[in-house]
Amino acid sequence: MDLTKFAYDAPYPEPKVEEPNRHYAEILLDDYAGYASEFTAIALYSYQHFISDVKHRDFADLIIGIAQVEMKHLDLLGTTIYLLGALPKYRGSYTTYGQYWNGYFVNYDKDLKDMIKIDIQSEKEAIKNYKRHIEMIDDRYIKKLLERIILDEEKHIKLLKDYLDRKF
């Protein structure tokens, strides 16, 4: 699948850090596998793909393309967390009180319109979290990475809103 239509047209920065920093790793764990995280987005979009594939093939294709971009984000964040000196375990930090990720983080709605609205809200929440984390982290490499990821999330919102407008 050609992911260029699901991602912002710019290269990703190479995962790097100025120096190991466990506190920054803990912050990024929320983006990695916290409540509103890349791992949650992948699970949500995979679920939506499976239940939409027969009736709404066009949505199923859109959402799995977006999920694959989220997998790229997961990879970049996992590598960065490891470079910061922590293990990229599937757990959040502050949003989950350090608990491991679980399927309760996924919204299992089945109505197409509601799913799209949930997806848009999830992308907006991710952007809000990334922006907050950019303010909290004083590492130029991590800031560049998070800024680049935000561009993808903004594109996802546009794609989802366009789809919503076409269908409803």
Side-chain angles (χ1 to χ4, degrees):
M1 176 179 281
D2 178 16
L3 295 183
T4 57
K5 68 182 186 178
F6 305 106
Y8 184 79
D9 186 20
Y12 295 97
E14 178 186 342
K16 288 169 126 176
V17 299
E18 291 178 7
E19 62 186 9
N21 185 314
R22 300 274 308 194
H23 175 65
Y24 292 169
E26 287 294 319
I27 292 170
L28 292 180
L29 279 166
D30 275 335
D31 299 319
Y32 181 73
Y35 182 73
S37 66
E38 298 297 340
F39 199 70
T40 300
I42 293 163
L44 172 66
Y45 298 158
S46 296
Y47 163 76
Q48 291 176 346
H49 169 78
F50 299 140
I51 68 165
S52 301
D53 199 30
V54 174
K55 248 178 126 175
H56 304 286
R57 181 71 180 170
D58 54 345
F59 178 71
D61 290 344
L62 170 65
I63 209 66
I64 204 65
I66 292 173
Q68 290 178 4
V69 174
E70 305 295 7
M71 287 181 215
K72 176 66 176 175
H73 299 167
L74 188 78
D75 176 61
L76 294 166
L77 290 170
T79 301
T80 302
I81 289 165
Y82 189 71
L83 292 172
L84 286 167
L87 294 175
K89 294 182 177 182
Y90 295 112
R91 70 169 180 86
S93 183
Y94 304 104
T95 65
T96 65
Y97 305 102
Q99 297 299 308
Y100 284 91
W101 188 92
N102 75 61
Y104 288 113
F105 296 172
V106 175
N107 184 311
Y108 293 104
D109 203 302
K110 297 184 293 190
D111 178 76
L112 180 63
K113 188 174 185 179
D114 290 341
M115 288 190 303
I116 298 165
K117 288 180 178 181
I118 289 162
D119 298 344
I120 292 167
Q121 187 56 43
S122 296
E123 296 287 344
K124 287 179 178 179
E125 185 70 21
I127 292 169
K128 184 177 104 181
N129 290 341
Y130 283 127
K131 286 182 177 179
R132 189 173 75 249
H133 295 163
I134 288 169
E135 294 299 316
M136 296 169 71
I137 295 172
D138 188 24
D139 181 304
R140 69 183 179 273
Y141 301 118
I142 298 171
K143 286 177 183 277
K144 284 182 183 174
L145 175 62
L146 299 183
E147 289 165 354
R148 174 58 186 83
I149 290 173
I150 288 171
L151 296 174
D152 284 342
E153 307 299 8
E154 290 171 341
K155 179 157 187 169
H156 298 165
I157 291 170
K158 181 179 180 348
L159 291 169
L160 291 161
K161 282 184 174 180
D162 289 349
Y163 185 87
L164 186 65
D165 290 344
R166 279 195 317 275
K167 288 293 184 178
F168 302 96

